[in-house]
Amino acid sequence: MDKADSIRNLFPREFHNMLKALPDVIGKLQEIRLRVNCPCCFIVDRCECYPDKEGHLREQGQDGVIFGSNEVAAVFNHICQYSPYAYESQLRQGFLTVAGGHRVGVCGQVVMEGERVTLIKQVRFLHIRVVHEVQGAAKKLLPHLYEEGRFFNTLLISPPGVGKTTLLRDIARMVSDGNSYHPGMQVCIIDERSEIAGSYMGVPQTRVGVRSDVLDGCPKAIGMMMAIRAMAPQLLVVDELGLAADYEALSCAAGCGIRLLASIHGKDMEDIYKKDEEQKHILQKTFDRFVVLQWKRRNREFFQHWTICDANGSVLVEKQVL
């Protein structure tokens, strides 16, 4: 099944005419957003557009298909195969991962039990985040992550939407499969939000390498300790560091001699260092290479800009990748 079909299959058949443009934009389609009493919105190459009933993409929302409560509910129930209770454990986290590796975020009425979310009902908002697998995305970066066959502990830094998870996934794949700098390594991916491997029913929907194991839906700190005890990884991969426990687990893994590949939200090194002095100390002690990702624009074309630094923030290399 190709990517366009995997997105189309998330919608009941009565919406398929609206989705005729999918094959034409699928390479640049980032998100589909459904909001009650609002037009269906496609995010294509960072721009909003709106499909009409005939499947043409319009620039103005008033020209698009409006989704009421019944229409949003129909799509949600279709995604859940008409059994949302079977997906309760995922929905409590606010999202579920579907065939093809795409992630569907949900909002609606939240039911709490103490401080714990037990259920999201009356779902009225859906965010379909299209998985983008770009094999070879990390090819130009890889030479800067090795020295004499040793993989540098590497941290990717960027704001949301710049492509750090896509790059993280491809680095993990190339390290796992092996490359011209080192034979393949045993990799364990702690995929707390199912964004790296995009696992569906436990099976990765993206290519993460033949020597990669995946702990799907597991909190990062817990998963790193489980992997150290049970899977004997040579490289641990985690996305979007955040909690204090994540940094403690990183320190433990580094102390065991395990290589590390991680990402974090931030504009630059100064941004991630100013958040917490203890966090700064752990990051400087743990990681050898820091890769800051940014989108830049030349004329009408966007490109990814990499700034590769050492732990002190000294710039080693700058690259522009179209």
Side-chain angles (χ1 to χ4, degrees):
M1 183 189 305
D2 66 19
K3 189 186 292 187
D5 284 339
S6 68
I7 295 293
R8 187 181 295 107
N9 287 346
L10 299 179
F11 291 78
R13 187 171 296 277
E14 59 264 31
F15 297 100
H16 285 194
N17 199 54
M18 179 193 77
L19 302 172
K20 282 183 178 178
L22 274 177
D24 298 326
V25 300
I26 195 64
K28 294 185 177 181
L29 179 64
Q30 298 165 298
E31 305 172 7
I32 298 176
R33 288 188 178 268
L34 305 180
R35 298 181 173 103
V36 64
N37 298 328
C38 293
C40 172
C41 179
F42 284 16
I43 309 296
V44 180
D45 200 18
R46 293 169 290 281
C47 296
E48 294 183 350
C49 54
Y50 305 88
D52 64 18
K53 291 181 180 180
E54 286 72 42
H56 303 116
L57 296 181
R58 305 295 189 178
E59 292 184 1
Q60 303 300 321
Q62 62 265 29
D63 298 324
V65 176
I66 304 296
F67 273 66
S69 298
N70 291 338
E71 287 75 23
V72 176
V75 175
F76 173 68
N77 286 321
H78 185 78
I79 289 171
C80 293
Q81 301 176 57
Y82 303 93
S83 182
Y85 292 104
Y87 294 85
E88 271 189 2
S89 61
Q90 288 191 65
L91 290 171
R92 279 196 291 267
Q93 301 177 68
F95 69 90
L96 55 101
T97 305
V98 297
H102 315 295
R103 197 177 73 158
V104 181
V106 301
C107 280
Q109 183 179 359
V110 174
V111 179
M112 302 288 293
E113 186 176 288
E115 296 184 357
R116 188 173 70 93
V117 175
T118 59
L119 181 66
I120 298 179
K121 63 180 185 179
Q122 305 297 336
V123 171
R124 296 295 180 259
F125 309 88
L126 296 174
H127 172 205
I128 301 171
R129 188 168 179 177
V130 180
V131 68
H132 279 291
E133 184 180 11
V134 184
Q135 292 191 56
K139 186 176 181 179
K140 294 180 180 179
L141 180 60
L142 214 63
H144 306 288
L145 306 185
Y146 283 90
E147 185 174 80
E148 297 180 354
R150 178 178 178 269
F151 182 82
F152 286 120
N153 288 347
T154 301
L155 182 66
L156 307 183
I157 305 165
S158 87
V162 180
K164 66 181 179 302
T165 302
T166 299
L167 194 59
L168 185 86
R169 180 190 302 120
D170 202 50
I171 296 171
R173 178 188 66 82
M174 296 182 77
V175 172
S176 173
D177 286 343
N179 52 73
S180 59
Y181 305 99
H182 195 275
M185 296 170 63
Q186 303 300 328
V187 175
C188 191
I189 297 170
I190 315 303
D191 203 2
E192 182 170 1
R193 299 194 299 172
S194 305
E195 288 189 292
I196 306 173
S199 297
Y200 176 68
M201 304 293 286
V203 180
Q205 303 293 288
T206 62
R207 297 177 185 176
V208 292
V210 297
R211 297 175 184 84
S212 293
D213 306 305
V214 180
L215 273 171
D216 182 56
C218 183
K220 287 180 280 289
I222 295 172
M224 282 188 272
M225 300 313 297
M226 289 174 62
I228 291 169
R229 289 193 295 265
M231 301 306 295
Q234 295 171 289
L235 175 71
L236 274 176
V237 180
V238 295
D239 200 9
E240 298 185 3
L241 299 172
L243 301 177
D246 298 343
Y247 297 96
E248 294 173 10
L250 281 174
S251 294
C252 180
C256 295
I258 298 169
R259 301 283 86 199
L260 300 167
L261 172 63
S263 74
I264 189 171
H265 279 151
K267 293 187 297 183
D268 48 33
M269 290 185 67
E270 182 180 351
D271 189 33
I272 65 168
Y273 279 172
K274 72 182 181 184
K275 295 175 183 176
D276 183 274
E277 193 63 31
E278 180 63 22
Q279 173 181 309
K280 174 181 177 180
H281 173 73
I282 292 174
L283 292 176
Q284 285 183 318
K285 183 180 177 182
T286 303
F287 291 99
D288 310 301
R289 291 291 181 267
F290 295 74
V291 183
V292 180
L293 309 178
Q294 298 173 307
W295 279 122
K296 294 197 174 182
R297 187 171 183 170
R298 187 168 60 208
N299 299 323
R300 290 190 170 187
E301 191 170 20
F302 285 92
F303 60 89
Q304 200 175 64
H305 183 272
W306 302 338
T307 305
I308 306 169
C309 306
D310 63 16
N312 296 316
S314 298
V315 176
L316 304 174
V317 180
E318 290 196 63
K319 279 185 173 290
Q320 295 179 1
V321 185
L322 294 175

